[in-house]
């Protein structure tokens, strides 16, 4: 197959990376197609593990919804390393697809949800604390394999232990975090940043309603349904987001996008739940001008590679 590059063709080509379950992209991602066309950029959805895909024929390969990678992370990371025009780039993918990065960000001074880790093969039993906790794998997408447990309930304690055993048997690391009850009223705030001429710039924010109602009882689809609404970010949230982004290895100029997910901690101050740099929903349908800003971010990265 002939390679096409921006230097030899008038119209740059962009692959929007997805998975086999979403061959036509997530509806929110499709909102960027018209703004890209208006800029003279040809974009198409391509499944990340399609053996027939010719990644070298694209001027830019943009990760969007490869949400089936969690059980095949090694394969996904290896694939990312073969795509030199990937954004966000492969080294970021490797770092960000295992949530143990939270320990690094915490060590760098970022306020994060307190997290402990259970490695495969480790013996674990629920702590004596009778509060509520969240258990999830360190490699996951779409809130899959994630459960909420009230450790004052003997049945929940048994289910929590079974959850850890299930993940351990599959060779997966488990994360244990206190459930932050403020999410029940305040929700979770996701702050979206998109590339501009001078690096990442804040674009918009959304509110996610509480999602975890109880123990994890097994697979229920590619991702859990979310209750989303537009939100205005507060100065203290923006400050934590900026501090988080400032701790990203390699800096943020390499990034096309970033999503910083925050929940109020016990004292009401925002704490980091996740830093999404690999395949986050960008919620561009919830903010005026956001589809165009994403298209402009893609054009910015294309210009850097021209």
């Amino acid at each position: 197959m002939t390679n096409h590059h921006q230097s030899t063709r008038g119209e740059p080509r962009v692959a929007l990376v997805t998975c086999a379950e979403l061959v036509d992209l997530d509806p929110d991602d499709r909102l960027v197609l018209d703004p890209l066309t208006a800029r003279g950029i040809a974009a198409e959805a391509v499944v990340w593990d399609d053996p027939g895909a010719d990644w070298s024929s694209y001027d830019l390969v943009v990760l969007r919804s490869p949400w089936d990678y969690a059980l095949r992370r090694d394969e996904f990371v290896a694939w990312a390393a073969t795509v030199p025009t990937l954004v966000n780039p492969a080294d970021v993918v490797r770092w960000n697809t295992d949530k143990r990065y939270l320990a690094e960000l915490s060590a760098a001074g970022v306020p994060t949800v307190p997290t402990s880790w259970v490695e495969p093969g480790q013996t674990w039993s629920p702590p004596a604390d009778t509060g509520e906790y969240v258990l999830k794998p360190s490699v996951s997408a779409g809130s899959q394999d994630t459960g909420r447990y009230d450790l004052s309930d003997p049945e929940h304690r048994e289910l929590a232990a079974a959850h850890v055993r299930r993940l351990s048997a599959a060779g997966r690391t488990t994360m244990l975090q206190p459930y932050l009850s403020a999410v029940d009223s305040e929700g979770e705030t996701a702050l979206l940043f998109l590339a501009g001429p001078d690096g990442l710039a804040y674009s918009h924010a959304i509110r996610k309603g509480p999602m975890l109602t109880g123990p994890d009882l097994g697979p229920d689809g590619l991702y859990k349904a979310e209750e989303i609404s537009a939100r205005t970010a507060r100065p203290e949230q923006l400050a934590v987001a900026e501090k988080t982004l400032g701790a990203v290895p390699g800096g943020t100029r390499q990034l096309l996008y970033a999503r910083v997910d925050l929940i109020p901690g016990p004292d009401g101050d925002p704490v980091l739940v996740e830093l999404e740099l690999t395949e986050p929903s960008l919620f561009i349908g919830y903010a005026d001008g956001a589809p165009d800003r994403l298209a402009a971010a893609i054009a910015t990265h294309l210009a850097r590679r021209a």
Side-chain angles (χ1 to χ4, degrees):
M1 186 178 291
T2 303
N3 292 349
H4 302 290
H5 297 286
Q6 198 168 347
S7 59
T8 58
R9 301 177 76 247
E11 185 179 72
R13 299 181 71 221
V14 171
L16 301 176
V17 180
T18 186
C19 59
E21 291 89 340
L22 292 167
V23 291
D24 294 321
L25 298 174
D26 183 72
D28 190 70
D29 286 330
R30 287 200 291 271
L31 298 176
V32 78
L33 295 175
D34 285 347
L36 286 173
T37 299
R39 285 175 164 74
I41 298 169
E44 62 190 73
V46 189
V47 174
W48 74 271
D49 57 352
D50 178 357
D54 180 11
W55 301 106
S56 66
S57 70
Y58 297 99
D59 300 287
L60 199 65
V61 177
V62 178
L63 287 166
R64 288 311 317 121
S65 49
W67 293 335
D68 61 352
Y69 78 85
L71 297 179
R72 295 186 288 156
R73 176 179 176 263
D74 289 348
E75 180 185 346
F76 182 67
V77 169
W79 164 79
T82 70
V83 186
T85 57
L86 189 70
V87 285
N88 289 333
D91 56 346
V92 171
V93 169
R94 184 183 306 107
W95 180 76
N96 188 240
T97 48
D98 188 325
K99 294 180 180 65
R100 281 179 284 195
Y101 68 75
L102 287 170
E104 294 181 40
L105 294 177
S106 178
V110 175
T112 62
V113 180
T115 306
S116 57
W117 315 86
V118 184
E119 301 296 338
Q122 276 188 303
T123 300
W124 181 84
S125 58
D129 187 345
T130 56
E132 287 193 284
Y133 283 84
V134 173
L135 289 173
K136 58 185 173 182
S138 68
V139 178
S140 65
S143 296
Q144 287 299 297
D145 301 301
T146 300
R148 171 182 171 184
Y149 299 89
D150 180 354
L151 298 187
S152 66
D153 182 331
E155 182 182 4
H156 275 222
R157 294 181 72 84
E158 291 179 10
L159 288 171
H163 189 165
V164 174
R165 287 196 300 270
R166 185 166 66 249
L167 293 177
S168 181
R172 305 174 77 184
T173 297
T174 302
M175 305 167 58
L176 175 70
Q177 299 173 324
Y179 183 77
L180 299 179
S181 60
V183 74
D184 294 332
S185 55
E186 173 78 6
E188 183 174 320
T189 302
L191 290 81
L192 287 306
F193 293 78
L194 299 172
D198 301 318
L200 283 185
Y202 172 70
S203 171
H204 59 285
I206 58 94
R207 176 192 185 273
K208 282 197 223 179
M211 295 174 59
L212 299 179
T213 57
D216 175 59
L217 300 176
D220 57 0
L222 189 61
Y223 55 87
K224 293 184 180 179
E226 297 175 324
E227 175 196 315
I228 306 298
S229 57
R231 166 166 277 178
T232 300
R234 298 192 297 270
E236 62 269 26
Q237 293 171 325
L238 286 164
V240 171
E242 293 288 356
K243 186 165 190 174
T244 301
L245 294 172
V248 172
T252 59
R253 186 171 172 79
Q254 63 187 321
L255 304 179
L256 174 68
Y257 50 67
R259 198 182 88 198
V260 182
D261 295 345
L262 305 174
I263 294 177
D267 61 0
D269 292 336
V271 297
L272 179 71
V273 181
E274 289 189 26
L275 170 61
E276 299 266 16
L277 303 179
T278 302
E279 31 61 40
S281 294
L282 296 175
F283 305 113
I284 57 176
Y286 291 85
D288 290 343
D292 196 64
R293 288 194 290 276
L294 178 56
I298 291 171
T300 293
H301 273 261
L302 281 167
R304 291 178 188 170
R305 295 175 180 273

